[in-house]
Amino acid sequence: MFLTITTTGSAERPATDLGFLLHKHPDKAQQFSTSYGTAHVLYAEADAERCTAALLLEVDPIALVRRAKGKGRGGAPDSALGQYVNDRPYAASSLLAVALRSVFASAMKGQCAARPELVGRALPLRIEVPVLPARGGAELVRKLFQPLGWTVLAEPLPLDETFPEWGDSRYVRLVLEGEHRLSDALRHLYVLLPVLDDAKHYWVAPDEVDKLLRAGEGWLEDHPEQRLIVGRYLARRWSLTRRAMERLELERLAEADGVQVEEIDNAVDEETDTEEKPVPLAVQRREAILSVLRGAKAARVLDLGCGQGQLVGALLKEKQFTEIVGLDVSMRALHEARRRLRLDRMSERQSERIRLVQGSLAYTDIRLKGYDAAVLSEVVEHVDPARLPALEYAVFGSARPKSVVVTTPNVEYNVRWESLPAGHVRHADHRFEWTREEFRQWAREVAERHGYAVTFGPVGPEDPEVGPPTQLAHFRMADGADEAAKANGGESASNSVSMKEAAA
């Protein structure tokens, strides 16, 4: 994986000033360790008229497989064979972008203590990347770099020079020429290399939004392909993309008005502002669940589909809940919950209150019997409709807690999410999303079959036309229902579905 940066100069302004900006001396060949191999910086030529610095990244294929586990993390292409055959050691990608940030960190930030006057100077630059994945072809390469003031050569590379009839590959040879500050040029590359590859070798976390905005400052706000750049850079995670787009719009407005972003984002002085900040929906949902559990006087609680343990953590903060069980089918989620809750550092008294177990709600589980309450928070919509009877029986027919709290999205409210395309569900793993009437009909039928009474409530701001963003149902076991169920062999009097039939 290779990249060169060339500049020209004169006796008065020697090209070797590039070495000061890069913080790498032209007389030395240096190497730096990275997570996936070794980065080398060397100068192919260095005199007053012309200077070329090269970054060579040697990717360790074993480290690549071990760290990525061969799964194509971040949406890497060809992930099925990624463990055996991939282009990562040869084609510019997010691996090279990360190496740029690591090796040329000071240059990218525009810092040069030895020659600070060089930082703001535009240099005649020529940047070459011999092999660059370009999902979108040479035309997209031009659309991304030309608005930034670069003259672009994007030469498609043939699949096989021996067989020209096979056509071109998805790779190009890239040459950029133009007068830019070096820090700007490096930031263009840092963002746009992984955008063109349309993949990242690491998990895209929320802090990627800050990295993108720092690297894109001064040019991304007005780029005509802004939405494509943001979406691809953030691996098409729509929640992060929305956050980044909102912040970019604020920066654009601030620049247009000649004010600071804070002046637009905070119209009222913080010292006199008494308006409360919006509470995230996830927090409102947990508070609504806790309120129901407090009212039900529940002490022993099941969190079914506990995920990473956010609700479990909230339950632990209240002394009323003396025993808390978090159940999830994903061991990865349970490990993350243990880490979040710091179970290994928890006092013995606290740790005795909590238990995290693996299990599936598609089957009955004797470990779930005898609890005061169970919570299914944002769980049912992840279950295939054909499997809902199995979940229903496992919770209401077999475990039979005294109270069950169910929350699920209200699909009618989706029209209020401006960033959610029409007809799309809120999460890619949602098998369905119910209207208010569909949810109530399902809940009433479940309650009737298993001897529960059910009431409903909103979670989040209730829109007069489409209702709240989240809907909640509270099931309470009817008096005598449990005795009737025991008399019928452990099932409610109105439910004769066998376990085998429920799980089918």
Side-chain angles (χ1 to χ4, degrees):
M1 200 180 299
F2 194 64
L3 175 147
T4 61
I5 304 172
T6 300
T7 188
T8 55
S10 62
E12 294 75 23
R13 291 188 173 185
T16 48
D17 284 348
L18 182 65
F20 288 101
L21 287 169
L22 291 175
H23 296 259
K24 306 291 182 288
H25 199 285
D27 291 341
K28 298 179 181 178
Q30 297 175 266
Q31 64 180 41
F32 306 86
S33 295
T34 73
S35 301
Y36 292 86
T38 304
H40 303 266
V41 177
L42 56 144
Y43 286 78
E45 52 187 339
D47 55 41
E49 289 73 31
R50 188 176 174 89
C51 184
T52 298
L55 173 64
L56 171 65
L57 179 60
E58 286 187 300
V59 175
D60 180 354
I62 296 176
L64 186 67
V65 171
R66 285 177 176 171
R67 293 180 68 87
K69 300 182 174 23
K71 296 181 181 178
R73 299 177 75 182
D78 312 317
S79 58
L81 293 175
Q83 186 167 345
Y84 307 100
V85 180
N86 61 68
D87 63 0
R88 301 299 87 178
Y90 316 107
S93 66
S94 58
L95 288 165
L96 184 59
V98 170
L100 278 171
R101 187 187 67 194
S102 175
V103 175
F104 299 137
S106 296
M108 192 175 293
K109 294 175 184 176
Q111 298 173 348
C112 183
R115 297 283 301 279
E117 75 278 6
L118 297 177
V119 170
R121 182 185 300 172
L123 303 177
L125 295 174
R126 177 184 172 92
I127 296 173
E128 296 188 50
V129 183
V131 184
L132 172 65
R135 290 185 177 266
E139 182 60 29
L140 179 60
V141 179
R142 287 187 283 270
K143 286 182 178 179
L144 294 182
F145 283 103
Q146 281 179 346
L148 301 175
W150 292 103
T151 299
V152 181
L153 170 64
E155 179 184 351
L157 300 177
L159 272 173
D160 193 317
E161 294 179 353
T162 310
F163 301 97
E165 65 272 17
W166 288 3
D168 294 330
S169 68
R170 65 182 179 91
Y171 303 93
V172 300
R173 171 177 169 262
L174 175 66
V175 179
L176 302 174
E177 291 186 325
E179 289 205 3
H180 291 274
R181 294 182 303 179
L182 181 65
S183 58
D184 293 339
L186 292 174
R187 290 189 294 118
H188 296 165
L189 292 169
Y190 174 72
V191 172
L192 296 180
L193 291 182
V195 166
L196 283 164
D197 188 27
D198 198 13
K200 285 201 169 182
H201 66 278
Y202 55 88
W203 173 249
V204 176
D207 64 349
E208 288 295 300
V209 174
D210 294 324
K211 293 179 185 176
L212 172 62
L213 296 182
R214 282 196 299 269
E217 184 179 359
W219 62 270
L220 185 55
E221 299 92 335
D222 299 310
H223 198 291
E225 300 295 330
Q226 180 193 88
R227 184 168 292 276
L228 179 142
I229 293 170
V230 172
R232 284 193 178 191
Y233 184 90
L234 297 172
R236 293 183 171 82
R237 292 189 62 187
W238 73 266
S239 59
L240 299 183
T241 300
R242 181 184 65 183
R243 187 187 309 172
M245 294 297 292
E246 289 173 350
R247 288 173 60 180
L248 284 167
E249 178 62 13
L250 280 174
E251 291 179 11
R252 188 190 68 79
L253 292 172
E255 184 178 358
D257 292 344
V259 298
Q260 296 296 316
V261 172
E262 292 76 12
E263 294 182 50
I264 294 179
D265 202 17
N266 299 288
V268 182
D269 191 316
E270 289 184 1
E271 295 181 3
T272 60
D273 185 9
T274 57
E275 183 179 350
E276 295 184 4
K277 294 182 179 180
V279 179
L281 183 58
V283 175
Q284 295 183 61
R285 191 161 48 236
R286 285 195 292 274
E287 285 300 321
I289 292 169
L290 290 169
S291 177
V292 172
L293 295 176
R294 293 187 201 106
K297 295 182 170 53
R300 304 174 67 236
V301 179
L302 300 167
D303 183 5
L304 304 177
C306 65
Q308 298 178 1
Q310 290 91 336
L311 178 61
V312 172
L315 291 167
L316 274 172
K317 294 177 181 178
E318 302 201 17
K319 294 181 180 179
Q320 172 182 327
F321 308 113
T322 58
E323 183 179 348
I324 305 157
V325 174
L327 177 138
D328 203 283
V329 72
S330 167
M331 282 302 299
R332 182 178 178 180
L334 292 173
H335 286 314
E336 179 62 18
R338 288 180 179 277
R339 187 191 68 80
R340 277 173 167 268
L341 296 167
R342 299 184 178 183
L343 287 186
D344 56 335
R345 302 181 184 180
M346 196 175 288
S347 68
E348 184 177 352
R349 183 176 180 182
Q350 277 285 78
S351 63
E352 287 177 352
R353 296 171 58 202
I354 181 173
R355 189 158 50 100
L356 299 178
V357 299
Q358 184 184 28
S360 170
L361 294 176
Y363 308 98
T364 58
D365 191 333
I366 194 171
R367 296 174 298 176
L368 306 183
K369 291 177 178 280
Y371 283 81
D372 298 326
V375 178
L376 292 160
S377 179
E378 310 300 285
V379 170
V380 293
E381 65 272 12
H382 292 271
V383 179
D384 287 321
R387 305 292 293 173
L388 277 177
L391 177 146
E392 173 191 332
Y393 180 76
V395 176
F396 295 91
S398 175
R400 296 192 65 73
K402 295 175 183 176
S403 286
V404 180
V405 183
V406 179
T407 70
T408 191
N410 168 23
V411 71
E412 297 170 75
Y413 194 87
N414 287 0
V415 297
R416 297 296 186 254
W417 301 113
E418 294 182 1
S419 58
L420 185 64
H424 284 232
V425 293
R426 297 184 198 175
H427 191 282
D429 190 52
H430 286 185
R431 304 305 199 262
F432 61 86
E433 287 177 357
W434 277 322
T435 65
R436 286 169 289 174
E437 183 52 39
E438 288 169 337
F439 178 52
R440 292 184 179 211
Q441 181 178 346
W442 173 82
R444 289 181 183 123
E445 290 174 357
V446 169
E448 184 178 355
R449 279 194 290 269
H450 299 283
Y452 284 79
V454 61
T455 55
F456 303 94
V459 178
E462 190 159 14
D463 187 285
E465 295 180 0
V466 296
T470 298
Q471 41 195 344
L472 178 149
H474 178 204
F475 299 82
R476 287 162 293 180
M477 188 178 291
D479 293 339
D482 206 29
E483 287 73 12
K486 292 177 182 177
N488 282 275
E491 298 181 5
S492 99
S494 58
N495 179 48
S496 59
V497 180
S498 70
M499 177 182 171
K500 182 177 180 181
E501 291 170 333

